[in-house]
Amino acid sequence: MNFIIRLKKVFFITLKYLSLCFFAFLSVLPVVSCLITAFKTDQEYNSTNVMVLPHSWFNFQNFIDAFTKANMARAFLNSTIILACVLLISTIIGTQLAYVLNRFNFVGNSLIRNLFLFASLLPGVAMQISVYEIMTKLNFINSLPGYIIMICGTDVISIYIYIQFFENIDKSLDESAIVDGANYFTIFYRILLPLLKPAIVTSCILKGVSTYNEYYSASLYLQDKKLYPTVATSLYTFVGPLGSKYNLICAGVIISLLPALIVFICCQKQIYSGLTAGAIKG
Amino acid sequence: MQAKAKAIKKKRTFSQWLKSRDGQKVLIITAFMVIPLLLLFVFTYLPFGKMFSFSFYDMKYVGQRKFVGLKNYVKVFTRDDCFKALGLSLYYMLGAVIQLGIALYFATILSFKTRGGSVFKGLMFFPYLINGIAIGFIFKFFYTRGFVFDTVLHWFGFNLENLPYWLKDQRINNFSLVGTSVWRYFGQNMVLFIGAIMSVDSELYEAAMLDGAGKFQQFKYIILPSIKTIILLNVILSISGSLSAFEPPYVITSGANGTGTYFVVMHEIAHTQQKVGLASAMAIVLLIIIFIATIIQRLLFKYVFVSGEDDNPKDAIRRERRLNRYLKHKAHRR
């Protein structure tokens, strides 16, 4: 009897780890195969199967070629500028809005919350049909500031993260500051904003990853591939004549996902908790 | 003279009012809300309204516009490539169900003690962080004849000659694309579910263990009821997500060989053919469908909740937690 129970336990544990390993394998396989290919010379790529390991793991030629051909230096510069501005602006306006919505009761408060909620339900690809027209009228096509403003304008989830966080900050803190004679600006900037730091980090990571990875609106509004490639859209260089040189393409792909990988390794916890927070409220 | 004095007096009272608490409130509310609301208006509600009006015109982004009434809507339903493309959503719905199932399975496993749990979690989650274009290249490469997928299947004993062309063969290519979407998002769903499971009080599990409940019972009676809300929420999200499926076909096949979903066709019509009116009509039709679907689901959702035999499980957990906190507090005092 005891033996059967043990056998059952061993069976289930084996099943558990087998399934984990199998799906982890499936999850990394596409990326790992890309990594393998990225280290192959042209000749090696043409003569060996894609899953055969490369001769040398120090053949960085493809990475160098991909980096220069796809104008990635410029792309990284653009992406960094976009990221910095978007994060700064959306943090400021997001926290301010959340502060007002959470701390003040006024006519239209819940209406505004619902307007933001409704906005998050509209699929982005469909909206771009007419946003494109507005961007054209505003002269925001091929303009980094214009693109940055548009990205800041479509940010809803971080507002929810902030509101949720404000709900957990005791209102008596505000009240005692008011008694001491502080005005609302001081309360917000001196007292509440520093307390909001964890929420800011969380939503910056989420917003940062999605902004960095954004390619659809980037390819619509930053059409000038010479001046305004972002890291994601710079990969478009490989569509066309270079389309079958997969050792080069894979190197480009790997370069483009390195920053996301680094951020992921450093901030796993914040990413997980940010996703959970954003999903439950939104 | 008198009028001037009056104006000064009025001004003073205004500035006084501005300095008062109420004035300060109004000031900060307007100051902090102007920009976000402006952005929300310009990039969401204005386009929304414009899209609605575009749908009645025959127009390009530049040049003349011609009012055509409901003709665009008629076209959406009669053209071969528009409304019928919505049928492809069924593949994506199926994928979404599988995705949620896998996510729930691994979330449950990983919430218990597992060797290397965080490594597995990280490996399964990472695809979510890869940008769309990279995904496109990765899977074009992955599915190419004789490349990664075929090689791996070959290791497992499949014969290359019996394998289809994963992205060309119309019997299979939509499944290939849905597979990439499952690959990309199941880890993210899993993380959400783990978060929900973790928010259940661990003492509930301990109590259940003491009562001799097995893992499966724990799953059925503790985990499942307490994360019911987030599961249903994800089902709702994934159904509207399936209707608006876009990314996999757009980046991998560009909609060729019968993989063009509704949104891929719409994108093509709007930005390549520049038939903005027709594309807007397509968008409006889909939005209406999504809203109806969402409302129906919400109603079902409510119904599911109300008809449950016991009361809301969340409340039960909350009560239990409060009790535990109280007990802990008491223990501390002693």
Side-chain angles (χ1 to χ4, degrees):
Chain A
M1 195 61 197
N2 209 344
F3 176 73
I4 290 175
I5 291 174
R6 228 195 237 162
L7 202 69
K8 224 171 148 186
K9 214 175 169 186
V10 169
F11 174 73
F12 277 114
I13 288 179
T14 326
L15 197 71
K16 169 176 148 182
Y17 283 100
L18 263 182
S19 61
L20 275 171
C21 289
F22 181 65
F23 272 82
F25 170 73
L26 285 184
S27 291
V28 296
L29 175 65
V31 180
V32 167
S33 63
C34 232
L35 190 69
I36 291 172
T37 304
F39 282 99
K40 287 182 178 174
T41 61
D42 285 355
Q43 196 220 342
E44 226 182 324
Y45 167 70
N46 287 327
S47 59
T48 60
N49 182 285
V50 285
M51 293 305 283
V52 174
L53 297 181
H55 277 307
S56 148
W57 287 99
F58 295 98
N59 172 26
F60 289 107
Q61 195 54 44
N62 290 324
F63 292 94
I64 297 166
D65 286 351
F67 194 83
T68 46
K69 277 209 175 102
N71 200 6
M72 277 186 152
R74 182 90 207 189
F76 272 102
L77 179 69
N78 284 339
S79 281
T80 312
I81 295 171
I82 292 169
L83 259 185
C85 297
V86 165
L87 292 186
L88 186 71
I89 297 171
S90 68
T91 303
I92 293 173
I93 61 179
T95 49
Q96 288 182 341
L97 182 74
Y99 169 66
V100 170
L101 287 179
N102 179 258
R103 289 302 206 245
F104 298 100
N105 254 326
F106 54 91
V107 185
N109 186 319
S110 66
L111 173 76
I112 290 172
R113 284 175 193 235
N114 285 331
L115 283 178
F116 275 96
L117 186 67
F118 181 77
S120 70
L121 294 176
L122 299 171
V125 177
M127 295 305 290
Q128 299 311 326
I129 295 174
S130 43
V131 171
Y132 187 85
E133 207 249 350
I134 291 168
M135 293 288 279
T136 318
K137 282 210 174 128
L138 291 170
N139 247 335
F140 277 181
I141 308 270
N142 281 329
S143 135
L144 274 189
Y147 179 71
I148 289 165
I149 291 170
M150 192 223 62
I151 294 282
C152 290
T154 49
D155 181 26
V156 180
I157 286 177
S158 59
I159 292 171
Y160 277 96
I161 294 177
Y162 293 136
I163 289 182
Q164 206 181 12
F165 205 84
F166 268 118
E167 272 165 13
N168 293 327
I169 300 177
D170 202 337
K171 274 187 188 163
S172 64
L173 211 62
D174 304 32
E175 280 152 18
S176 61
I178 290 175
V179 172
D180 289 346
N183 66 24
Y184 293 114
F185 286 94
T186 331
I187 293 173
F188 177 71
Y189 282 108
R190 290 280 166 77
I191 300 173
L192 296 175
L193 206 56
L195 289 175
L196 218 57
K197 221 176 177 176
I200 292 174
V201 171
T202 300
S203 73
C204 275
I205 292 171
L206 284 184
K207 182 81 183 161
V209 169
S210 74
T211 306
Y212 177 80
N213 283 342
E214 178 59 50
Y215 70 95
Y216 183 71
S217 55
S219 67
L220 279 182
Y221 304 127
L222 300 174
Q223 297 162 345
D224 188 334
K225 294 277 143 54
K226 279 229 171 76
L227 279 177
Y228 301 117
T230 66
V231 176
T233 58
S234 71
L235 292 178
Y236 273 129
T237 319
F238 301 114
V239 178
L242 293 172
S244 59
K245 283 193 75 175
Y246 272 112
N247 49 350
L248 192 67
I249 295 174
C250 286
V253 165
I254 297 291
I255 294 174
S256 83
L257 56 84
L258 270 183
L261 182 65
I262 293 166
V263 170
F264 176 58
I265 290 170
C266 299
C267 324
Q268 269 189 58
K269 258 196 186 148
Q270 278 98 336
I271 290 182
Y272 294 149
S273 68
L275 272 177
T276 319
I280 288 171
K281 264 280 158 173
Chain B
M1 271 300 269
Q2 228 176 7
K4 213 177 183 183
K6 228 179 192 175
I8 289 170
K9 202 182 166 195
K10 218 177 185 181
K11 226 179 218 170
R12 199 175 285 150
T13 51
F14 178 70
S15 68
Q16 266 171 2
W17 174 81
L18 209 58
K19 273 182 191 143
S20 75
R21 269 295 144 205
D22 285 339
Q24 287 278 311
K25 258 187 203 170
V26 173
L27 191 69
I28 196 157
I29 289 173
T30 27
F32 279 9
M33 288 212 313
V34 166
I35 297 176
L37 284 184
L38 190 73
L39 288 175
L40 183 70
F41 174 73
V42 173
F43 293 110
T44 304
Y45 287 98
L46 184 64
F48 189 59
K50 281 205 164 192
M51 196 157 73
F52 189 66
S53 76
F54 286 173
S55 67
F56 299 105
Y57 285 87
D58 182 8
M59 59 177 280
K60 294 190 169 184
Y61 282 114
V62 281
Q64 288 231 309
R65 301 174 177 189
K66 201 178 117 205
F67 185 80
V68 291
L70 288 173
K71 257 187 196 162
N72 286 325
Y73 288 94
V74 175
K75 269 190 200 161
V76 171
F77 290 102
T78 50
R79 266 174 71 134
D80 267 351
D81 57 345
C82 290
F83 201 66
K84 279 181 189 157
L86 217 47
L88 291 185
S89 308
L90 291 176
Y91 290 101
Y92 290 87
M93 277 180 206
L94 180 71
V97 172
I98 294 170
Q99 176 184 320
L100 291 176
I102 298 172
L104 192 57
Y105 169 73
F106 285 116
T108 313
I109 283 186
L110 290 175
S111 332
F112 292 111
K113 232 186 215 161
T114 302
R115 265 170 214 276
S118 62
V119 176
F120 284 119
K121 187 174 164 187
L123 292 179
M124 292 178 187
F125 175 77
F126 183 67
Y128 177 68
L129 298 177
I130 301 174
N131 71 74
I133 299 181
I135 299 251
F137 282 117
I138 289 174
F139 279 101
K140 271 183 226 167
F141 176 64
F142 186 79
Y143 282 129
T144 302
R145 185 71 163 176
F147 278 17
V148 186
F149 195 40
D150 287 351
T151 308
V152 171
L153 287 178
H154 185 71
W155 291 347
F156 286 102
F158 286 87
N159 194 344
L160 184 62
E161 275 152 38
N162 299 332
L163 296 174
Y165 283 82
W166 299 106
L167 295 177
K168 276 187 195 149
D169 191 334
Q170 302 225 359
R171 284 168 302 174
I172 196 92
N173 57 6
N174 280 307
F175 289 108
S176 309
L177 292 180
V178 170
T180 68
S181 164
V182 174
W183 175 80
R184 190 170 178 198
Y185 290 108
F186 89 86
Q188 186 238 6
N189 284 152
M190 178 186 80
V191 166
L192 293 185
F193 290 152
I194 290 177
I197 294 173
M198 287 303 182
S199 69
V200 178
D201 204 314
S202 62
E203 280 168 47
L204 268 178
Y205 298 118
E206 278 159 31
M209 292 260 253
L210 285 180
D211 288 348
K215 287 274 154 66
F216 185 70
Q217 273 104 340
Q218 285 183 42
F219 175 74
K220 196 173 162 197
Y221 294 110
I222 302 176
I223 296 179
L224 208 54
S226 52
I227 64 170
K228 201 158 103 187
T229 321
I230 193 160
I231 293 176
L232 283 172
L233 197 74
N234 272 289
V235 171
I236 290 179
L237 283 178
S238 59
I239 287 182
S240 45
S242 311
L243 290 171
S244 47
F246 174 72
E247 200 156 326
Y250 180 69
V251 296
I252 300 172
T253 59
S254 319
N257 296 317
T259 56
T261 57
Y262 193 80
F263 266 13
V264 171
V265 176
M266 188 190 75
H267 165 86
E268 158 85 15
I269 288 177
H271 297 286
T272 314
Q273 301 177 16
Q274 294 247 331
K275 289 181 182 162
V276 181
L278 179 58
S280 299
M282 284 183 80
I284 297 283
V285 168
L286 192 69
L287 282 180
I288 292 171
I289 293 173
I290 288 179
F291 283 137
I292 293 173
T294 312
I295 290 168
I296 292 174
Q297 285 163 355
R298 295 257 151 139
L299 288 178
L300 281 178
F301 188 47
K302 252 187 194 160
Y303 174 74
V304 168
F305 257 92
V306 174
S307 73
E309 277 176 27
D310 46 5
D311 58 349
N312 191 335
K314 257 197 171 165
D315 290 345
I317 293 159
R318 230 170 267 149
R319 245 179 286 127
E320 193 121 356
R321 238 186 252 166
R322 225 174 290 146
L323 180 70
N324 281 323
R325 223 174 289 147
Y326 172 68
L327 290 175
K328 257 188 217 159
H329 198 67
K330 234 181 163 182
H332 263 289
R333 274 202 184 158
R334 267 184 215 158

